[in-house]
Amino acid sequence: MMAPPVKTGPRYNQLITVPKVRVIDENGENLGVMYTREAIEQANEVGLDLVEVSPNADPPVCKFLDVGKFRYEAQKKANLARKSQKTQEIKEIKMRPNIDDHDYDTKMR
């Protein structure tokens, strides 16, 4: 008996648990606040999924999107951000107690 896999990414369709959501259609137009069940039905009529894009808003903002495409674009954006970020490397050296001043200066350079 294994535990179910942890879902990552945005909630969509039946995974949205709040009763009312603010809905934005596929063209970016605001359809207003409606019940989640109605919004899922409207998204199915268009052939898309209802995806929660802003879960912390009151009520949460959901959009008519293709979930697979949305996840793919988010993954590409994360990979690009990770590729362009700078990392700093710290160089380490070993120092012994009876090292001479000149040797110390050489290693510090």
Side-chain angles (χ1 to χ4, degrees), residues 64-90:
F64 294 166
L65 295 171
D66 180 18
V67 164
K69 187 175 180 181
F70 184 71
R71 282 184 177 170
Y72 176 76
E73 288 173 354
Q75 182 182 13
K76 292 291 274 186
K77 193 183 297 184
N79 286 343
L80 183 64
R82 188 170 58 244
K83 188 190 306 184
S84 65
Q85 86 181 41
K86 295 203 175 220
T87 58
Q88 291 183 346
E89 292 184 23
I90 298 173

Side-chain angles (χ1 to χ4, degrees), residues 91 93-95 99 101-109:
K91 192 170 183 180
I93 58 171
K94 283 187 179 178
M95 305 294 280
I99 190 169
D101 292 336
H102 178 56
D103 295 337
Y104 176 77
D105 293 339
T106 304
K107 285 191 178 192
M108 289 303 292
R109 255 186 272 126

Side-chain angles (χ1 to χ4, degrees), residues 2 5 11 21 24-25 29 40 54 59 62 77 80 83 88 96-97:
M2 294 176 49
R11 294 187 291 187
V21 292
I24 300 173
D25 69 356
E29 295 186 26
I40 292 171
S54 180
C62 295
K77 193 183 297 184
L80 183 64
K83 188 190 306 184
Q88 291 183 346
R96 301 282 183 212

Side-chain angles (χ1 to χ4, degrees), residues 33-84:
V33 178
M34 60 177 67
Y35 288 105
T36 305
R37 213 173 300 135
E38 293 176 15
I40 292 171
E41 290 172 5
Q42 285 188 6
N44 286 338
E45 289 174 9
V46 179
L48 297 172
D49 301 306
L50 184 69
V51 181
E52 194 174 44
V53 292
S54 180
N56 297 329
D58 186 34
V61 178
C62 295
K63 208 171 193 178
F64 294 166
L65 295 171
D66 180 18
V67 164
K69 187 175 180 181
F70 184 71
R71 282 184 177 170
Y72 176 76
E73 288 173 354
Q75 182 182 13
K76 292 291 274 186
K77 193 183 297 184
N79 286 343
L80 183 64
R82 188 170 58 244
K83 188 190 306 184
S84 65

